[in-house]
Amino acid sequence: MNLKQLSELLGLSQTTVSRALNGYPEVNEATRERVLQAVKETGYRPNKAAQRLATGKAGSIGLVMPTAPGHQSDVHFGEFLAGLGEEAVRHDFHFVIMPADPDDEVAALRRLAISGNVDALFVAYMRGHDPRLAMLKSLSMPYVVHGRSYGSEPDYPYLDIDNEGAFYDATRLLLQLGHTRFALMNGPMHLDFAIRRKNGVLSALAERGLTLEEGCTSHALMTDEQGLLAMEHFLQLPERPTAILCSSTVLALGAIRAVNQAGLRLGEDISLIAHDDVLPLLKPESFSVPLTTTRSSLRAAGLRIAQRLIGTVKHAGPFPDQELWKTELIVRASTGPVPQS
Amino acid sequence: MNLKQLSELLGLSQTTVSRALNGYPEVNEATRERVLQAVKETGYRPNKAAQRLATGKAGSIGLVMPTAPGHQSDVHFGEFLAGLGEEAVRHDFHFVIMPADPDDEVAALRRLAISGNVDALFVAYMRGHDPRLAMLKSLSMPYVVHGRSYGSEPDYPYLDIDNEGAFYDATRLLLQLGHTRFALMNGPMHLDFAIRRKNGVLSALAERGLTLEEGCTSHALMTDEQGLLAMEHFLQLPERPTAILCSSTVLALGAIRAVNQAGLRLGEDISLIAHDDVLPLLKPESFSVPLTTTRSSLRAAGLRIAQRLIGTVKHAGPFPDQELWKTELIVRASTGPVPQS
DNA sequence: AGTGGCATCCAAAGCGCTTTCAATTATGTA
DNA sequence: TACATAATTGAAAGCGCTTTGGATGCCACT
């Protein structure tokens, strides 16, 4: 059943039926009723592809999912998606997900944009000097970036959390507790948040004339294994750090395993603060020693970005172009005064 | 840049250019080269919506993502998606994800199918007597079901694991270790896998004239909190069970916390076997007491289903209509002989 | 009676691609 | 040389929808 058939059935033109369906004012109320009734009876659904071709609108937002054989799936991604979804479902939007090799992001994003399958783009996993920004700007399609790109002019729409501030505050807390030997367990070096978090740590340390010693920074995928490995490395340093800053509760999971295996006590021998994305699976308060964290909900960020994106597509704006969310520093038992040695 | 412009640029007809691009044999190799060259230079990309309208093919597979405000995002979903993605990226397919309230699955699935946005459907979270099956059959669109639907005629394409066998075997192992008081920590009661796993447990127990006692079965969302609650409940039963079967390592996470809090030792006072979907975050061998598990990779299942779906769309078949994967029973330290009391 | 305004409705022109059917030229065969 | 055949190419007809630019009829008002 298509528009033509439906309109013939009703003895109306396609024009009128189309207008009736799309809520245009110039159609008689009685006629509209008839049309709506017929739709109900016939189960007619407009063909989206045709609609899209005619209007250029798709009712969907696009994103690239980094994936590859052996590429470990990222819990953060799923959680973010849940946030997007929560908002999208309210507006009858859907997602088009383009899986792509992490090395192929720029091209994948472009393909997605040009495909005509999406009205707006969501971009994540931002890097320093991210090459996607230039491409996005040239695209004349709405987009919102999750995170920022260190080193690029901040003239693009983004939603980010104050990573630098979060890790600055966290470091300050540990300094106040008397710690002087710090280590940072970070995400991959090229990612924007990793850069900023490191800066936050360094600037807090610098105020006391301190710095991150040689070997006291790790950059790795945010998995629990990597957390374990990094922590094992830190623990066998001659001048073992007593204060650990950790970019994710996922890393912390492994890190704490290493601490336990070494027979050390978290919150006493070693203090640790992790960033908490509020993953349902890793609640810092549920760790055997509850974790002190900097917190900001990834899901909430997803929801907000979906709002902005969908709102822009529907011209329900205006929206702030740039948002920077503060994080909360929540003190639990994994931090304590520096041990007397 | 569209086909018309490109063809004018080349002094060819749209027909020929289109054929050159789509690999039809009746175009001169030299001409094809010229076209390809021009495409490279101009950056021309065919408009997907138009392509879809003309061919009826979309190059995408659709799925429904259950979501709602407050609905906790499901790690299993993300992991499965990663598997789908791994295969999809090889064939330049993408996903269309329709977020939907869990109570609205049938309608959401239908909307997705009729939207014309997808070539095939993937369906998960199967229930007993699942109403979606009838709808899918009437749809004349390829689909594969992950799981099965207890109580429905098994005449639909599916990929499932042998849930009943897995839990039968697990239960047998615990019986052999001398356990007689069992508890089952299961997923939501209406879900197919939950039904089958329970059956597996019951039939193994029945062989010894045993059964699941009153209060020794829990059905709940597979989150760590629910695991904690369920285990706390089991532990305060007058006849406390010594053998626990657990439908997910996520549940086990909470359950073990409860065991620890009660001052009991896993693998000694309490034996536990969990089903392991091979989630990157919850490796059974990384638990403080490594977990005995029944294992089957969710990601591998996603990959296989994507293969079947994409293969069917591309007429690269035939594929088996129904696959039932055996699980592995891997013994680690969380199971031990029944304690002498 | 003549005019303008309003409420409705429609024919037809796209949107950018694929594909059928036909035309043209090149090649081979008798 | 004449004719069948193969190799290339094109014109044009959709795919199902939206939207522009009129029609048409009816009414109120001069």
Side-chain angles (χ1 to χ4, degrees), chain A residues 8 31 68 96 107 159 182 225 246 268 275 294 307 316 332 339:
Chain A
E8 279 167 2
T31 318
V96 174
L159 171 73
F182 285 75
E225 274 108 340
C246 183
E268 299 182 27
H275 180 70
T294 55
Q307 266 178 8
R332 300 195 186 81

Side-chain angles (χ1 to χ4, degrees), chain A residues 161-174 193 196-201 204 245 273-276 293-296 325-330:
Chain A
I161 59 173
D162 182 7
N163 283 300
E164 180 159 351
F167 275 58
Y168 175 86
D169 291 345
T171 306
R172 287 248 313 175
L173 173 64
L174 291 165
F193 75 82
R196 294 185 198 267
R197 289 177 186 176
K198 184 169 185 178
N199 288 348
V201 174
L245 291 144
I273 301 183
H275 180 70
D276 175 21
T293 58
T294 55
R295 181 171 71 183
S296 182
W325 288 3
K326 288 283 172 204
T327 63
E328 302 169 272
L329 177 56
I330 299 177

Side-chain angles (χ1 to χ4, degrees), chain A residues 3 15 18-19 22 24 44 46-47:
Chain A
L3 226 211
T15 312
S18 169
R19 285 189 177 133
N22 294 312
Y24 281 67
Y44 165 78
N47 176 312

